[in-house]
Amino acid sequence: MVSIAKKILEDHLVEGKFEIGEEIGIRIDHTLTQDATGTMAYLQFEAMGLDKVKTELSVSIVDHNTLQTDFKNPDDHRYLQSVAAKYGIMFSRPGNGICHQVFLERFARPGKTMIGSDSHTPTAGGMGAIAIGAGGLDVAVAMGAGPFYLKTPKMVGVKLTGSLPDYVTAKDVILEVLRRISVKGGVGKILEYFGSGVKTLSVPERATITNMGAETGATTSIFPSDEITREFLKWQEREDQWMEIPAGSDDDFDEIIEINLSELEPLVAKPHSPGDVIPLSEVEGMKVDQVAIGSCTNSSLKDMLTAAALLKGRKIHPDTVLGISPGSRQVLMQLSKDGSLADMITAGARILETACGPCIGMGFAPKTDATIARTFNRNFYGRSGTKSANAYLVSPEVAVAAAVFGEFTDPRKLGDFPKIEIPKSIEIDDSMILKPSDKPEEVEIIRGPNIAPLPEFQALPDDFQFKVLIKTEDNVTTDHIMPAGAKILPLRSNLPEISKHVFEQVDPTFPERALESKEEGGGIIIGGENYGQGSSREHAALAPMYLGIKTVLTKSFARIHRDNLINFGILPLSFANTADYDKIKENDILEIKGVRKALEENQTIIIRDVTQRFDIETSYDLSERDRKILLAGGKLSYI
Ligand code: MIC
Ligand code: SF4
């Protein structure tokens, strides 16, 4: 037998050979975009000049930029709605829910391949799909029937045995995985779950695990499709879309991680990395100022019913605030029908919109120096909107305990675990999902003044000099490179404007200095290990490109960001000797000669540090296709 991930990938293989590390091209059945990355993706799709998407299913969901403080976000929504109508795309309107939750409920299918312009696309892996996060341009290409290219990943089997004790949850399973392999332990790998513990987890619980698998850097994560998957699809009135995908076994994997669910305890990820996982007991008694329950990781009906049941008859602590954002309109409707919403409100929860909201700093920012407990997947520095906040990632159960007691508390202190009844049937109402127009030729694309045209892409020159503009540490995230939040996110469709915020949290002088050196040849960014982890936002490549960055030189890259750099013609190079990383200094002038020839012939590129007078040997891990894209000045020109 083979692992299920390998089977699905091989069934969709259109180019290359399935050998670890080799590049393969796969056919993509489904695509997903959200609004914050979607506007760019669709501008790029439009530039490709096709009249319709060529996928089985493409879905555009508005969930990120829903805080409408002026015309910008609503203008973008109208643009996205008109594009969807014209090009054959399903459109989930603002208010309908968080992209991954909506996709899991209404669209995901076992055995399909899917890419999405959001790093948590692997959520659909909970349904037995191969679902991969990618840059918007890669999604645009897939919508036009172009293959998606990736390096053949290593197959890691995560063997689950036992069953979760009360108050220990799917969130603790993925936190345990992160505790063991950290934020780069999944790079180049697919995490595939198997073993007797799998059948103890519902689809939304599996989706919590595959969702946050993104934080390990993994290409994706996947569960088998079994009777539990069938039940979930039946519940969603889509049983006809079920197919069985039996789990793999010990021999099917290159590596195995074993987790006995019965032995797990409540865990938390401490500031500022999802990989810094410790037992909850280590922080018990620490005061918590703000609690938030929601996000694409923990906002299913089960999570919300659990939170409501635990809050019932209690009040939140006077020194703590609690915000709850249900994952979808479907979930919210159910909560409001069965009275759970009333239990939350009575306890003192503030009910937030069914959207990403506080997870991406769109409102509900905490107070100065706050300690915050969130059921989300990322706690990067500054992401909550308040730089001095310390964010801990927790399960809904731990979140409720913190809200009730005002400090980190073992949730078992809330008493016997309540019995959570998932109703046999719920109301399925897709009226907030608009079907594409049946007269696409009559649909006009609506562009508000916030939507700036795409920039010009320039081919890489042969020789150039550039200045070291910034030298960063290990594990720099795309949130560091291109911050999000209520102020900056509305600028996603406007490159000149958003570029003014590159590296804002790290060094606010960066954009100005970059523009100055753009006149004199451009700048370079020096990075440590795992540079560009986190969000798939291609703005973290596009905006530096706009500021004149032609090269990024690091110890290593995170997958999606590396692909985005290539897509926009920025050369991703690595140090052959990491000692050179230590030597190189900010403001050094560097020089590259004959880079085009080196790329054409797949030769080593040497960078000269002109200021300190030494040579830096670099290495790169670029397929022939990658090198052609770089030589063309990016993927759009290449196509
Ligand atoms: C995130 O969680 O960081 C985001 C916001 O969903 C991003 C996408 C974006 O930056 O628009 C992601 O995960 O890819
Ligand atoms: Fe939205 Fe947060 Fe999920 Fe990103 S991680 S898709 S911002 S809910």
Side-chain angles (χ1 to χ4, degrees), residues 21 42 50 60 77 111 152 165-166 182 191 243 274 280 337 393 410 540:
Y42 293 112
L50 299 172
S60 169
H77 303 169
T152 307
D166 284 350
S182 92
L191 305 180
M243 68 185 249
L280 168 71
K337 283 185 190 163
L393 305 174
D410 190 324

Side-chain angles (χ1 to χ4, degrees), residues 455-515:
E456 299 253 331
F457 297 94
Q458 260 138 31
L460 213 56
D462 210 22
D463 306 329
F464 52 101
Q465 274 211 344
F466 41 64
K467 194 185 214 167
V468 177
L469 291 173
I470 194 164
K471 183 173 162 182
T472 67
E473 299 179 344
D474 291 349
N475 296 317
V476 157
T477 70
T478 41
D479 273 66
H480 288 100
I481 306 168
M482 187 72 262
K487 192 180 84 188
I488 305 177
L489 270 173
L491 306 173
R492 283 284 179 94
S493 320
N494 190 331
L495 203 51
E497 279 307 311
I498 204 168
S499 302
K500 295 178 185 158
H501 302 276
V502 173
F503 280 120
E504 191 167 84
Q505 320 258 19
V506 186
D507 178 355
T509 67
F510 181 89
E512 210 184 302
R513 291 189 292 112
L515 277 178

Side-chain angles (χ1 to χ4, degrees), residues 34 36-37 64 118-120 360 378 383 492 535-537:
Q34 39 90 339
T37 53
H64 280 64
D118 191 282
S119 61
H120 292 105
I360 192 59
R378 290 188 175 143
R383 186 169 158 109
R492 283 284 179 94
S535 156
S536 65
R537 59 191 72 151

Side-chain angles (χ1 to χ4, degrees), residues 191-263:
L191 305 180
E192 179 173 322
Y193 290 80
F194 74 112
S196 59
V198 164
K199 64 174 185 307
T200 67
L201 300 170
S202 64
V203 169
E205 289 173 301
R206 296 173 184 184
T208 293
I209 295 171
T210 57
N211 168 286
M212 202 171 169
E215 270 51 67
T216 68
T219 305
T220 188
S221 304
I222 188 167
F223 270 84
S225 167
D226 54 12
E227 277 307 314
I228 293 177
T229 320
R230 179 201 281 221
E231 279 305 306
F232 180 85
L233 280 168
K234 189 171 166 198
W235 188 62
Q236 290 292 326
E237 297 175 8
R238 311 199 272 130
E239 194 183 356
D240 57 324
Q241 300 180 354
W242 180 73
M243 68 185 249
E244 189 181 9
I245 309 182
S249 60
D250 289 63
D251 306 332
D252 300 332
F253 303 103
D254 304 308
E255 208 178 300
I256 288 185
I257 298 174
E258 284 200 50
I259 298 180
N260 182 345
L261 300 175
S262 310
E263 286 170 2

Side-chain angles (χ1 to χ4, degrees), residues 276-355:
D276 285 345
V277 177
I278 52 169
L280 168 71
S281 54
E282 283 186 27
V283 288
E284 261 191 89
M286 184 189 286
K287 225 171 138 298
V288 175
D289 303 291
Q290 190 207 59
V291 178
I293 302 178
S295 93
C296 57
T297 316
N298 279 121
S299 61
S300 66
L301 185 59
K302 162 138 193 289
D303 284 333
M304 291 294 148
L305 289 176
T306 307
L310 293 173
L311 286 168
K312 193 180 170 103
R314 297 191 161 98
K315 298 284 179 203
I316 63 164
H317 192 275
D319 293 336
T320 302
V321 288
L322 168 65
I324 301 181
S325 13
S328 68
R329 176 168 164 270
Q330 182 188 93
V331 171
L332 181 58
M333 285 197 307
Q334 185 56 35
L335 296 176
S336 64
K337 283 185 190 163
D338 76 3
S340 304
L341 194 60
D343 294 334
M344 292 171 165
I345 297 169
T346 310
R350 289 167 61 182
I351 306 301
L352 309 175
E353 204 178 0
T354 51

Side-chain angles (χ1 to χ4, degrees), residues 160-175:
L160 303 179
T161 54
S163 60
L164 291 169
D166 284 350
Y167 285 111
V168 182
T169 71
K171 182 62 159 278
D172 301 301
V173 178
I174 188 60
L175 286 172

